[in-house]
Amino acid sequence: MAARVPPLSMKKGGGAVSSAAAGLAGTSIGVIGLGIMGGAMAEALLATGHAVCGYDVAAHARQRLKNTGGRPLASSDAVAASAEVVITSLASVAALDDVVSRIVGVGRDRLRTRILIETSTLPLGDKMRAMAALRRVGIATLDCPVSGTAVRMKEGAWTIFASGSRAALRRILPLLHVFTRNVPYVGAYGNGTKMKLIANHLVAIYNVAAAESLTFARKMGLDPRGVLALFGPSPVVGNGVLRLRGAQMVARKYAPATMKVEVWQKDMKVIGDMARAVDCPVPLFASCIPIYNAAMAQGLAVADTASVHEVLAGMAGIATAQSRDG
Amino acid sequence: MAARVPPLSMKKGGGAVSSAAAGLAGTSIGVIGLGIMGGAMAEALLATGHAVCGYDVAAHARQRLKNTGGRPLASSDAVAASAEVVITSLASVAALDDVVSRIVGVGRDRLRTRILIETSTLPLGDKMRAMAALRRVGIATLDCPVSGTAVRMKEGAWTIFASGSRAALRRILPLLHVFTRNVPYVGAYGNGTKMKLIANHLVAIYNVAAAESLTFARKMGLDPRGVLALFGPSPVVGNGVLRLRGAQMVARKYAPATMKVEVWQKDMKVIGDMARAVDCPVPLFASCIPIYNAAMAQGLAVADTASVHEVLAGMAGIATAQSRDG
């Protein structure tokens, strides 16, 4: 169906590494979108000796960049006029459209950006449109969604699904290696987003499965701590979602959130929209949707997605946790 | 809710170990139910120098025991009149009821069995009834369901969820260690079955999730081999079910089965019945039921449960595998 693409890099290893010595020392880097993820990437680049400019619509995010040694600029177009390589980390299609139109509007004479690394989780159609528009002004775009939370970057636990031009990727790979050594090359532009959707589809299910499992355990009179201790490390059913989210479910504490329900709802929509676009029945994923919707309805919007355990526990008649979101 | 019970033994390590030297050398052991699992246990005991008698309703199973050096007997009661420790590995409640009534009927004067290790996956209520009946004739019953297939015993990959009297368990632990070093003690009689249901509940979901994920990957034009290579070992979403069953789904070959759909349907029913018995909503598990039922309907009864991938692929309009069950 699709050609198998051998990984360009799937090395594993811990944490950030200096890349200033790896041939990109003189490259000016811009980060557009300085939220939790973009801000973390900017800081990691600064910490490894790179010059970083950036922009965010939020003044406090620009201030944070300044505080950590970066150079905040007044707009996306100012970043594109300054940085050879731009990383985008954006929360919505509207933001991506705005950034792209401003970069395109800079004009070839002032435009300095040659490679744009799009790291957001956004619908593929919108990412394709962005790539085409940027190509017309000579920018090579890479589709490189990130799997992992900002906190976990320091543990070297991110995976970046790199897709697009191999030549462009080779050029900027040392930058991505500042964030993680796990940068599998997954093929043509867009495959990165597809792989991210595969990962998120499983995470969506595994998280509700963990919540259902621990609710079932409680209803049978088992100690949920013992259940998690037994199955979290199991070579058969153990996985990172069960271990990370399961610990919050056992404690019934969902703050601080590694992924807020309200943010995750955007990712759920992207998965569901893609499934519809490619005519794929996803009955298991579909049965998770009402559980996340219920979490929103029950005041858990800013709680971690592990809080779906409260939805199922509530359905099961288990008394509400004393302090379920913090 | 329930007291946390520290594990008596959760050591990990490879394969079978000799226990003949560990204080049970003179103990006569009986195995009732010499199917795939019971037969494998009998052979492992024989291979480590134990004297093993046994019974199965099927003549070929008794012959197999004889061929490997064991002593087949004519009935369950004959085993109970001969062996101090009996292991039961049975496929149905009817079989368990029959075995228990025959053992009880032996009479105290002839009855030699003191400890019975019930390793089957059967409804908890039936296991409780068996334990009570056996207690009246002086037999201590342990509820010790096995997680793992016969093939995987040799790799040391079984987990035995041990529950019941600690004193009785200590006495027979060297026997269980012949099968695996992974023998967590999970508390009062019945907790073993509860833990097994927790494991099976997750396996039921993870298997369909893997099938749905790889179908989604195919529909998006991704190479399913690349997807499995990326996510099978992932510290976030990777797990044993995805790796083992995913490989069959990628190859679209479901024989030889590690777990046949028709056998798994019994385990599905036990999970669903328990959920109803304890009033636990299990929406995710419930959405898996029609997928397994469809596999039965589509001629996949003796194929591996990984064949639910064919159900979802068929729904998704993906052409039938040339040889999907062998």
Side-chain angles (χ1 to χ4, degrees):
Chain A
M1 182 168 281
R4 186 173 189 191
V5 183
L8 191 70
S9 163
M10 234 191 314
K11 290 172 207 151
K12 305 205 169 206
V17 291
S18 170
S19 71
L24 283 156
T27 306
S28 59
I29 302 162
V31 179
I32 300 177
L34 296 163
I36 295 175
M37 298 291 275
M41 288 191 268
E43 284 170 26
L45 290 167
L46 287 164
T48 50
H50 294 84
V52 178
C53 64
Y55 174 72
D56 193 286
V57 288
H60 69 87
R62 296 196 299 272
Q63 185 59 47
R64 178 180 153 196
L65 179 64
K66 188 170 185 178
N67 293 347
T68 52
R71 187 165 56 99
L73 297 177
S75 65
S76 299
D77 29 307
V79 173
S82 173
E84 293 165 70
V85 176
V86 167
I87 296 172
T88 50
S89 177
L90 303 163
S92 70
V93 171
L96 179 65
D97 286 348
D98 179 68
V99 167
V100 169
S101 71
R102 283 171 188 275
I103 292 176
V104 168
V106 168
R108 289 227 180 201
D109 51 333
R110 281 182 60 235
L111 184 65
R112 200 169 168 211
T113 303
R114 287 292 164 263
I115 298 177
L116 186 141
I117 310 168
E118 215 305 289
T119 66
S120 325
T121 298
L122 292 172
L124 186 54
D126 300 290
K127 286 210 181 200
M128 298 302 285
R129 216 161 15 84
M131 183 265 282
L134 292 167
R135 188 168 50 194
R136 284 193 289 273
V137 295
I139 296 175
T141 305
L142 293 166
D143 171 41
C144 300
V146 174
S147 181
T149 58
V151 173
R152 302 216 65 201
M153 191 217 280
K154 286 175 186 168
E155 303 162 26
W158 274 17
T159 298
I160 299 177
F161 304 108
S163 66
S165 154
R166 275 178 186 274
L169 179 62
R170 273 201 202 90
R171 174 102 176 79
I172 58 82
L173 196 57
L175 292 183
L176 299 184
H177 280 171
V178 169
F179 312 136
T180 176
R181 300 301 298 187
N182 303 320
V183 187
Y185 177 71
V186 295
Y189 183 92
N191 277 11
T193 286
K194 291 175 183 176
M195 285 293 185
K196 179 70 194 292
L197 295 187
I198 290 287
N200 276 2
H201 166 270
L202 288 175
V203 168
I205 293 169
Y206 288 179
N207 182 48
V208 176
E212 187 170 295
S213 175
L214 290 167
T215 301
F216 193 23
R218 289 181 202 271
K219 292 295 280 185
M220 287 194 290
L222 291 173
D223 173 19
R225 284 170 302 172
V227 170
L228 186 61
L230 197 54
F231 295 113
S234 159
V236 179
V237 296
N239 61 77
V241 177
L242 178 61
R243 288 185 289 270
L244 177 71
R245 300 268 162 76
Q248 296 182 62
M249 295 174 191
V250 166
R252 302 185 77 177
K253 298 265 185 194
Y254 308 104
T258 58
M259 170 58 83
K260 293 174 185 170
V261 176
E262 65 182 8
V263 177
W264 180 247
Q265 287 288 74
K266 178 210 62 162
D267 289 1
M268 290 290 289
K269 181 167 159 41
V270 175
I271 300 165
D273 286 352
M274 173 63 93
R276 182 164 41 237
V278 298
D279 298 330
C280 187
V282 283
L284 209 45
F285 172 78
S287 70
C288 296
I289 293 172
I291 309 301
Y292 290 105
N293 291 355
M296 292 294 292
Q298 293 173 27
L300 296 163
V302 299
D304 192 272
T305 52
S307 63
V308 293
H309 178 59
E310 295 306 309
V311 173
L312 290 168
M315 286 175 73
I318 294 169
T320 305
Q322 285 189 306
S323 168
R324 68 183 184 180
D325 57 356
Chain B
M1 184 166 280
R4 185 173 189 192
V5 183
L8 192 69
S9 162
M10 234 191 314
K11 290 171 208 152
K12 305 204 169 205
V17 290
S18 169
S19 72
L24 283 157
T27 306
S28 58
I29 302 162
V31 179
I32 299 176
L34 296 163
I36 295 175
M37 298 291 276
M41 288 191 269
E43 284 171 26
L45 290 167
L46 287 163
T48 50
H50 293 84
V52 178
C53 64
Y55 174 72
D56 193 285
V57 288
H60 69 86
R62 296 196 299 272
Q63 185 59 46
R64 178 181 152 196
L65 179 65
K66 188 169 185 179
N67 293 348
T68 51
R71 187 165 55 99
L73 298 177
S75 65
S76 299
D77 29 306
V79 173
S82 173
E84 293 166 71
V85 176
V86 167
I87 296 171
T88 49
S89 177
L90 304 163
S92 70
V93 171
L96 178 65
D97 286 348
D98 179 68
V99 167
V100 168
S101 71
R102 284 172 188 274
I103 292 176
V104 168
V106 168
R108 288 226 180 202
D109 50 335
R110 281 183 59 235
L111 184 66
R112 200 169 168 211
T113 303
R114 287 292 164 264
I115 298 176
L116 186 140
I117 310 168
E118 215 305 289
T119 66
S120 325
T121 298
L122 292 172
L124 186 54
D126 300 290
K127 286 210 181 201
M128 298 301 286
R129 216 160 15 83
M131 182 265 282
L134 292 167
R135 188 167 51 194
R136 284 193 289 273
V137 295
I139 296 175
T141 305
L142 293 166
D143 171 41
C144 301
V146 175
S147 181
T149 58
V151 174
R152 302 216 65 201
M153 191 217 280
K154 286 176 185 166
E155 304 163 25
W158 274 17
T159 298
I160 299 177
F161 304 108
S163 66
S165 153
R166 275 178 186 274
L169 179 62
R170 273 201 203 89
R171 174 102 176 80
I172 58 82
L173 195 57
L175 292 183
L176 299 184
H177 280 171
V178 169
F179 312 136
T180 176
R181 300 300 298 186
N182 303 319
V183 188
Y185 177 70
V186 295
Y189 183 91
N191 277 10
T193 286
K194 291 174 183 177
M195 285 292 185
K196 179 70 193 292
L197 295 187
I198 290 287
N200 276 2
H201 166 270
L202 288 175
V203 168
I205 293 169
Y206 289 179
N207 182 47
V208 176
E212 187 170 294
S213 175
L214 290 167
T215 301
F216 193 23
R218 289 181 201 272
K219 292 296 280 184
M220 287 194 289
L222 292 173
D223 173 19
R225 284 171 301 171
V227 170
L228 186 61
L230 196 55
F231 295 113
S234 158
V236 179
V237 296
N239 61 77
V241 178
L242 178 61
R243 288 185 290 270
L244 177 70
R245 301 268 161 77
Q248 296 181 62
M249 296 174 191
V250 166
R252 302 185 76 177
K253 299 265 185 194
Y254 309 103
T258 57
M259 170 58 83
K260 293 174 185 169
V261 176
E262 66 183 7
V263 177
W264 180 247
Q265 287 288 75
K266 178 210 63 164
D267 288 1
M268 290 290 289
K269 180 166 159 42
V270 175
I271 300 165
D273 287 352
M274 173 62 93
R276 182 165 40 238
V278 299
D279 298 330
C280 187
V282 283
L284 209 46
F285 172 78
S287 70
C288 296
I289 293 172
I291 309 300
Y292 290 104
N293 290 355
M296 292 295 291
Q298 293 173 27
L300 297 163
V302 299
D304 192 273
T305 53
S307 63
V308 293
H309 179 59
E310 295 306 309
V311 173
L312 290 167
M315 286 175 73
I318 294 169
T320 306
Q322 285 189 307
S323 168
R324 68 183 184 180
D325 57 356

